[in-house]
Amino acid sequence: MTIENLSSQKSFGGWHKQYSHVSERLGCAMRFAIYLPPQASSGQKVPVLYWLSGLTCTDENFMQKAGAHRMAAELGVAIVAPDTSPRGDDVADDDGYDLGQGAGFYVNATEPPWNRHYQMYDYVLNELPALIESVFPVSDRRSLAGHSMGGHGALVLALRNPERFRSVSAFSPISHPVNCPWGRKAFSAYLGPDETVWQSYDASLLMRDAKHPVPALVDQGEADNFLDEQLKPEALEAAAEASGYPLELRRHEGYDHSYYFIASFIDEHLRFHARHLNH
């Protein structure tokens, strides 16, 4: 698979790089960013944390705003940040910020016109890791993290594929998308009217029935303006309690939905993942 290096910046002894490649699964060019810690330059294969971003974001939001490079360099963990959807002139889109380009919701769309390109679940689960592990000095030890829509994606991917990931974490995830406006709009468009189909992309429903848990850490700001209507962490807590799932969900007074919140606690998330990636 051919990839094109778009940019490179040295950071905390490692390298932040952006790449473009043509995705077979998505049928379009895709961009991703990777942070390779200093350990990767010495011939050591390092584990990987895949970061999934939220609505309207690209790979750049996390890499530029989260302040994650310093701790990733210390821990010897690579970070990969894909885009949040397929993009391009021939890729279906919508006038709203919460559907279409920049809003892939990490599902495999089944409904036209979305099903032609919007296969982000398969892309993140299979195609992107295969590419990363074939090109870069990384191992097959993987963890997932994300924010908002990306927190939803990270939780769903880990819950459905516990054999593939060592740990999962999320900031302000859309925890119960079948029962919130963002999720219902996206799932109706991408997956069609049968709401039973939606359930396989709902973290709270998956966690309630989980048989092979992946250690999970979730942080939620209590001043988040999307908290009550869109995020619904109480549904995730109830699911974990019902199934005995090893979820640590922390609430933080005064914090909102922004990258200021993520930057405040990203070091703790990286340490959490490093413990499981290096176990």
Side-chain angles (χ1 to χ4, degrees):
M1 188 180 295
T2 302
I3 67 172
E4 178 186 0
N5 180 226
L6 304 176
S7 67
S8 300
Q9 297 86 26
K10 195 162 189 179
S11 177
F12 293 96
W15 288 91
H16 166 265
K17 300 184 178 186
Q18 275 185 321
Y19 289 90
S20 175
H21 75 107
V22 176
S23 165
E24 291 185 8
R25 191 70 182 96
L26 303 181
C28 65
M30 287 293 287
R31 192 176 74 187
F32 67 87
I34 184 169
Y35 177 71
L36 292 166
Q39 295 85 342
S41 299
S42 61
Q44 176 182 343
K45 285 195 170 186
V46 298
V48 184
L49 176 65
Y50 289 86
W51 172 271
L52 307 183
S53 294
L55 289 166
T56 75
C57 291
T58 68
D59 61 286
E60 294 182 336
N61 297 75
F62 177 81
M63 289 299 195
Q64 294 182 10
K65 295 180 179 180
H69 291 180
R70 181 186 63 80
M71 184 56 63
E74 179 180 321
L75 297 170
V77 174
I79 303 174
V80 173
D83 204 346
T84 50
S85 78
R87 297 182 193 264
D89 293 340
D90 65 339
V91 174
D93 201 6
D94 185 84
D95 290 337
Y97 74 95
D98 51 358
L99 185 67
Q101 296 187 34
F105 268 83
Y106 306 100
V107 303
N108 286 337
T110 57
E111 299 298 300
W114 312 104
N115 57 346
R116 182 181 172 197
H117 295 288
Y118 285 75
Q119 306 295 317
M120 288 296 293
Y121 179 90
D122 279 354
Y123 177 72
V124 174
L125 179 64
N126 295 313
E127 187 178 9
L128 183 61
L131 171 62
I132 298 298
E133 290 164 22
S134 69
V135 173
F136 300 101
V138 302
S139 72
D140 61 0
R141 288 173 288 151
R142 314 174 196 95
S143 289
L144 280 164
H147 172 230
S148 194
M149 178 187 71
H152 139 76
L155 289 167
V156 167
L157 280 154
L159 286 162
R160 288 177 57 172
N161 304 277
E163 74 286 355
R164 297 289 302 274
F165 302 103
R166 303 288 184 94
S167 54
V168 62
S169 73
F171 290 87
S172 317
I174 304 172
S175 296
H176 196 24
V178 302
N179 194 30
C180 78
W182 278 341
R184 295 188 66 81
K185 178 179 179 178
F187 288 1
S188 294
Y190 296 144
L191 304 174
D194 183 355
E195 295 189 18
T196 62
V197 176
W198 303 1
Q199 295 174 9
S200 63
Y201 293 105
D202 187 291
S204 294
L205 299 179
L206 292 168
M207 188 170 285
R208 184 176 292 275
D209 295 331
K211 300 295 188 293
H212 303 285
V214 176
L217 171 65
V218 172
D219 278 333
Q220 175 62 61
E222 292 193 326
D224 192 319
N225 57 324
F226 301 115
L227 177 58
D228 295 329
E229 184 180 25
Q230 304 283 12
L231 305 181
K232 303 187 182 297
E234 65 279 358
L236 200 64
E237 286 179 310
E241 184 176 354
S243 64
Y245 197 95
L247 168 69
E248 181 180 5
L249 196 155
R250 311 185 302 187
R251 296 173 182 267
H252 302 273
E253 182 180 358
Y255 286 93
D256 60 15
H257 201 70
S258 72
Y259 265 83
Y260 295 109
F261 175 42
I262 296 170
S264 297
F265 298 98
I266 191 63
D267 284 1
E268 295 177 27
H269 281 239
L270 288 167
R271 291 191 191 99
F272 166 79
H273 290 297
R275 287 197 300 272
H276 295 286
L277 286 166
N278 295 320
H279 180 65

